[in-house]
């Protein structure tokens, strides 16, 4: 294959139009033609990464295999393309500035005045090209924010420069919104025209316009947009609302997005395209009529993006089980012993969600207790796993005051604690255990039969660990520590084999579930939830 081609995806008119999904969909289409594609996201905010951000800001923090806390769009890239992203796949202005300032302190700039142009823009361009050194045909770079934001300026300037430096290898896709004015019964292109003008002022001419819309675009709208915005008519692409994000690649194919990209870059279009597995998935999804009712118990219920990857993993697992996911969220702060049965009744299974801090923990513990005593399938993830073990220790083992030192710093029975002696041997960012670690699965355990292998690799994002001092007590009482880190001996998975499906994992399997490779634990959890025997 020839030189790497760079595709930039910018957004205008409004935020939340789905740049991430459009970028991932284009990646999927190019990949289905046999190209090697990498997706990347630039976030204009000044935080160094998403690790310290509350989910209220940008939803969940996605974790890459190499332990980077990243924007949740990387989850879309991985789920759509079945690839592993890395720390190079998500860069924030904070990291760009940090790197430039470190270079300045080291004297790398030889006494020059350090400026946004060229120093910040050079750093941005290097970050984009760093991915290209890995021999990709296409790098699709999504620029966060909306054109016109002050903080996106250095990124757009870098796009302008790259286009100037590599005129035959760069392409710009601008995603905008076409509102429908009901009183006039008309779709309005004026906001798109203004947004393109804004880009042009910055020296960037879009090559392709993707118009997000709730109504079909007629030929006139397409013609008018093309004329006013200097783009070819076949480069005006409709992106209409669809019931599932997984249908977007198919819609984009119908609109010829990948063809126009190849055309504009002067590349052949005669490859055979294979999207059959993807189509099978979306067909299965549409045909599933029976429901599976799953509840997520967590503290960010008003904010579905906080559990984005868990939600998508459950959609995938339900689809492969020929079910439509009916997901409900339960605010753990509002769950108590008196109302738990009432709240969780009618569910086929529950996921007790990950989390940090003390808020809502008792409700999660009560939900675990309810699931255990009523044999309701329960999947505990991260803090959810910790709550399941705490509940079991308190009510079955008899360690009445067992707790995590995260929740109660003075507690004597530290069932979950910071492991001082292991700290040095762990890959950490601050004090967090981040990224992929191996986990050895116990012979004859339930999870070993689900995974169908002895060793798995899963991604972590946590500080506290199960205290091995209590492992024997837990196992004697009927909880099996069925997954253990082979190097450190840390317990990563627990299960109660006497129950229908009761599994807790310290890691985050949701980061490893993709459309074409759904995660075995989610698949089996949904299978068990619908199995009424
Ligand atoms: N707060 C817990 C810890 O740091 C669990 C984090 C999580 O849910 N991943 O150990």
């Amino acid at each position: 294959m020839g030189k790497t081609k760079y595709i930039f995806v910018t957004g205008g008119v409004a935020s939340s139009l789905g740049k991430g999904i459009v970028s991932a969909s284009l990646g999927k289409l190019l990949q289905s033609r046999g190209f090697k594609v990498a997706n990347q996201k630039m976030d204009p905010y000044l935080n160094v990464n998403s690790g310290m951000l509350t989910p209220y800001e940008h939803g969940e923090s996605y974790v890459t295999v190499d332990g980077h806390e990243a924007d949740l769009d990387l989850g879309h890239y991985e789920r759509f393309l079945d690839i592993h992203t890395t720390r190079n796949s998500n860069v924030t202005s904070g990291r760009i500035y940090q790197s430039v300032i470190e270079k300045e302190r080291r004297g790398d700039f030889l006494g020059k005045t350090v400026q946004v142009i060229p120093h910040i823009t050079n750093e941005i361009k290097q970050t984009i090209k760093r991915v290209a050194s890995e021999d990709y045909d296409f790098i699709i770079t999504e620029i966060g924010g909306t054109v016109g934001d002050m903080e996106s300026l250095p990124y757009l300037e870098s796009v302008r420069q790259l286009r100037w430096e590599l005129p035959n290898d760069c392409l710009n896709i601008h995603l905008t919104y076409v509102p429908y004015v009901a009183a006039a019964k008309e779709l309005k292109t004026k906001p798109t025209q203004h947004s393109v003008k804004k880009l042009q002022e910055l020296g960037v001419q879009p090559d392709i316009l993707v118009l997000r819309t709730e109504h079909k675009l007629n030929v006139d709208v397409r013609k008018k947009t093309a004329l006013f915005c200097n783009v070819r008519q076949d480069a005006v692409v409709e992106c209409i609302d669809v019931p599932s994000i997984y249908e977007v690649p198919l819609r984009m194919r119908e609109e010829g997005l990948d063809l126009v990209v190849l055309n504009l870059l002067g590349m052949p279009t005669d490859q055979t395209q294979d999207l059959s597995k993807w189509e099978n998935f979306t067909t299965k999804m549409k045909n599933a009529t029976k429901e599976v009712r799953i509840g997520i118990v967590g503290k960010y219920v008003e904010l579905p993006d906080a559990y984005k990857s868990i939600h998508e993993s459950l959609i995938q697992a339900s689809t492969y089980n020929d079910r439509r996911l009916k997901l409900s969220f339960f605010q753990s702060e509002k769950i108590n012993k008196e109302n738990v049965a009432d709240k969780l009744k009618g569910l086929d299974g529950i996921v007790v969600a990950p989390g940090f801090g003390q808020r809502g923990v008792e409700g999660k513990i009560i939900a675990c207790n309810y699931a255990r005593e009523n044999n309701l399938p329960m999947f505990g993830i991260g803090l959810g796993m910790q709550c399941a073990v705490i509940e079991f220790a308190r009510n079955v083992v008899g360690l009445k005051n067992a707790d995590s030192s995260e929740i109660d710093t003075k507690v004597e029975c530290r069932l979950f604690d910071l492991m001082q002696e292991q700290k040095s041997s762990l890959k950490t960012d601050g004090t967090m255990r981040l990224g992929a670690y191996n986990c050895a699965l116990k012979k004859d355990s339930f999870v070993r039969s689900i995974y169908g292998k002895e060793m798995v690799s899963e991604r972590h994002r946590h500080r506290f660990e199960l205290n091995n001092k209590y492992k024997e007590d837990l196992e004697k009482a009927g909880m099996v520590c069925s997954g253990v880190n082979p190097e450190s001996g840390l317990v990563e998975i627990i299960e109660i084999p006497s129950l229908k499906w009761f599994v807790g994992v310290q890691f985050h399997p949701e980061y490893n579930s993709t459309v074409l490779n759904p995660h075995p634990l989610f698949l089996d959890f949904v299978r068990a939830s619908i199995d009424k025997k």
Side-chain angles (χ1 to χ4, degrees):
M1 218 50 77
K3 270 166 75 188
T4 303
K5 304 286 184 190
Y6 299 90
I7 300 175
F8 303 101
V9 181
T10 55
V13 179
S15 56
S16 309
L17 294 180
K19 277 199 303 277
I21 302 293
V22 169
S23 304
S25 299
L26 174 61
K28 185 78 216 165
L29 291 179
L30 293 171
Q31 189 193 49
S32 70
R33 290 174 172 271
F35 292 109
K36 201 169 166 214
V37 184
N39 277 77
Q40 183 188 41
K41 167 107 193 250
M42 300 280 169
D43 276 308
Y45 52 73
L46 289 175
N47 306 66
V48 172
N49 62 37
S50 73
M52 310 281 256
L53 285 167
T54 143
Y56 287 107
E57 294 292 308
H58 303 275
E60 82 174 3
S61 205
Y62 191 80
V63 179
T64 60
V65 278
D66 61 347
H68 183 61
E69 295 173 288
D71 184 82
L72 57 72
D73 274 331
L74 269 68
H76 295 308
Y77 307 158
E78 294 207 7
R79 286 187 284 272
F80 276 57
L81 280 90
D82 247 300
I83 48 165
H84 278 163
T85 55
T86 67
R87 83 179 37 246
N88 287 336
S89 316
N90 184 209
V91 181
T92 65
S93 295
R95 218 169 109 203
I96 298 280
Y97 275 84
Q98 189 182 44
S99 167
V100 170
I101 290 168
E102 275 166 14
K103 286 178 185 166
E104 187 273 335
R105 293 288 83 190
R106 277 204 310 263
D108 291 7
F109 299 124
L110 307 172
K112 284 264 180 219
T113 308
V114 180
Q115 294 177 297
V116 172
I117 306 171
H119 298 95
I120 295 296
T121 48
N122 281 351
E123 187 75 26
I124 293 172
K125 287 191 288 180
Q126 275 161 21
T127 307
I128 294 169
K129 287 184 174 165
R130 200 172 299 139
V131 180
S133 64
E134 289 169 43
D135 185 32
Y136 285 100
D137 300 310
F138 291 96
I139 310 290
I140 302 176
T141 305
E142 177 190 345
I143 313 280
T146 310
V147 169
D149 296 347
M150 189 184 274
E151 47 183 23
S152 329
L153 289 175
Y155 294 96
L156 297 170
E157 168 59 15
S158 305
V159 170
R160 187 194 66 77
Q161 292 178 18
L162 272 173
R163 287 181 65 121
W164 181 248
E165 291 162 23
L166 304 164
N168 302 321
D169 301 321
C170 291
L171 191 92
N172 235 65
I173 299 181
H174 191 53
L175 172 67
T176 71
Y177 178 60
V178 183
Y180 180 75
V181 178
K185 293 199 177 62
E186 255 186 313
L187 285 164
K188 293 293 183 189
T189 64
K190 193 66 87 188
T192 298
Q193 295 174 38
H194 280 296
S195 175
V196 171
K197 287 262 148 53
K198 192 85 213 158
L199 256 186
Q200 288 166 338
E201 271 172 33
L202 301 170
V204 177
Q205 167 64 46
D207 301 291
I208 297 175
L209 291 174
V210 177
L211 306 187
R212 180 75 190 270
T213 172
E214 280 131 45
H215 299 267
K216 285 205 82 53
L217 304 180
N218 59 36
V219 183
D220 287 344
V221 170
R222 290 179 195 251
K223 267 193 185 150
K224 192 169 160 189
T225 310
L227 178 69
F228 280 97
C229 300
N230 292 356
V231 298
R232 281 165 37 168
Q233 202 181 314
D234 66 345
V236 178
V237 172
E238 170 190 289
C239 183
I240 199 161
D241 286 5
V242 281
S244 156
I245 53 170
Y246 299 121
E247 285 177 36
V248 178
L250 303 177
R251 287 300 170 109
M252 293 294 99
R253 182 180 59 178
E254 279 167 30
E255 284 284 308
L257 177 63
D258 50 334
L259 281 178
V260 73
V261 163
L262 294 171
N263 258 311
L264 288 167
L265 286 168
M267 295 171 77
T269 55
D270 55 357
Q271 313 82 9
T272 42
Q273 183 166 39
D274 185 8
L275 270 174
S276 52
K277 286 191 188 141
W278 191 275
E279 283 168 314
N280 289 346
F281 175 83
T282 54
T283 306
K284 242 176 161 2
M285 197 164 180
K286 279 189 214 135
N287 291 345
T289 47
K290 277 198 207 153
E291 280 179 349
V292 54
R293 293 154 303 181
I294 305 290
I296 293 189
V297 179
K299 64 179 171 182
Y300 299 111
V301 289
E302 70 290 4
L303 194 77
D305 271 2
Y307 307 116
K308 187 79 190 161
S309 293
I310 293 178
H311 190 167
E312 297 305 325
S313 304
L314 286 170
I315 291 177
Q316 294 153 6
S318 304
T319 302
Y320 283 105
N321 277 289
D322 297 314
R323 285 294 191 284
R324 194 151 53 83
L325 175 67
K326 184 163 192 291
L327 188 64
S328 0
F329 291 91
F330 296 89
Q331 170 55 264
S332 55
E333 279 177 291
K334 298 220 173 92
I335 293 182
N336 55 46
K337 282 195 182 113
E338 286 68 48
N339 67 18
V340 64
D342 202 40
K343 282 196 187 285
L344 303 185
K345 73 164 185 272
L347 291 175
D348 299 314
I350 59 168
V351 173
V352 183
F356 290 85
Q358 205 259 336
R359 183 163 75 89
V361 165
E362 277 312 311
K364 286 185 178 175
I365 294 175
I366 292 166
C368 292
N369 173 266
Y370 176 84
R372 183 177 60 74
E373 289 186 343
N374 294 280
N375 206 2
L376 176 69
M378 196 287 317
F379 195 2
I381 301 178
L383 184 61
M385 171 265 205
Q386 299 180 355
C387 288
V389 181
I390 293 169
E391 189 280 318
F392 187 83
R394 286 182 189 171
N395 300 322
V396 181
V397 182
L399 298 164
K400 287 276 167 277
N401 301 315
D403 217 328
S404 163
S405 53
E406 177 181 19
I407 314 299
D408 180 350
T409 46
K410 296 197 181 69
V411 74
E412 211 174 295
C413 179
R414 295 169 167 255
L415 194 58
F416 286 86
D417 204 1
L418 291 172
M419 300 281 117
Q420 297 301 336
E421 69 277 14
Q422 269 121 4
K423 267 190 186 165
S424 54
S425 64
L426 295 174
K427 295 175 257 174
T428 55
D429 185 41
T431 56
M432 270 259 233
R433 187 170 165 214
L434 285 167
Y437 286 85
N438 279 339
C439 175
L441 306 179
K442 194 169 181 166
K443 198 161 173 265
D444 299 326
S445 65
F446 185 51
V447 288
R448 172 106 162 233
S449 70
I450 296 173
Y451 274 105
K453 48 185 170 183
E454 276 171 50
M455 190 73 79
V456 294
S457 171
E458 297 279 7
R459 298 178 217 182
H460 292 247
R461 181 177 186 245
H462 61 103
R463 287 198 178 84
F464 295 82
E465 306 285 356
L466 179 60
N467 192 336
N468 272 323
K469 199 162 94 182
Y470 298 104
K471 194 173 160 189
E472 212 183 304
D473 293 341
L474 293 167
E475 300 221 271
K476 266 196 203 134
M479 178 174 268
V480 175
C481 298
S482 48
V484 171
N485 180 296
E487 283 100 45
S488 61
L490 293 172
V491 173
E492 321 275 41
I493 311 180
I494 59 92
E495 61 187 50
I496 302 181
S498 58
L499 296 176
K500 189 171 166 191
W501 212 98
F502 196 98
V503 175
V505 292
Q506 183 62 82
F507 48 76
H508 293 273
E510 67 272 23
Y511 298 143
N512 267 345
S513 192
T514 70
V515 171
L516 299 187
N517 278 305
H519 195 286
L521 289 179
F522 280 98
L523 278 179
D524 203 65
F525 166 65
V526 172
R527 180 205 52 76
S529 298
I530 57 187
D531 179 6
K532 293 299 169 209
K533 283 199 288 295

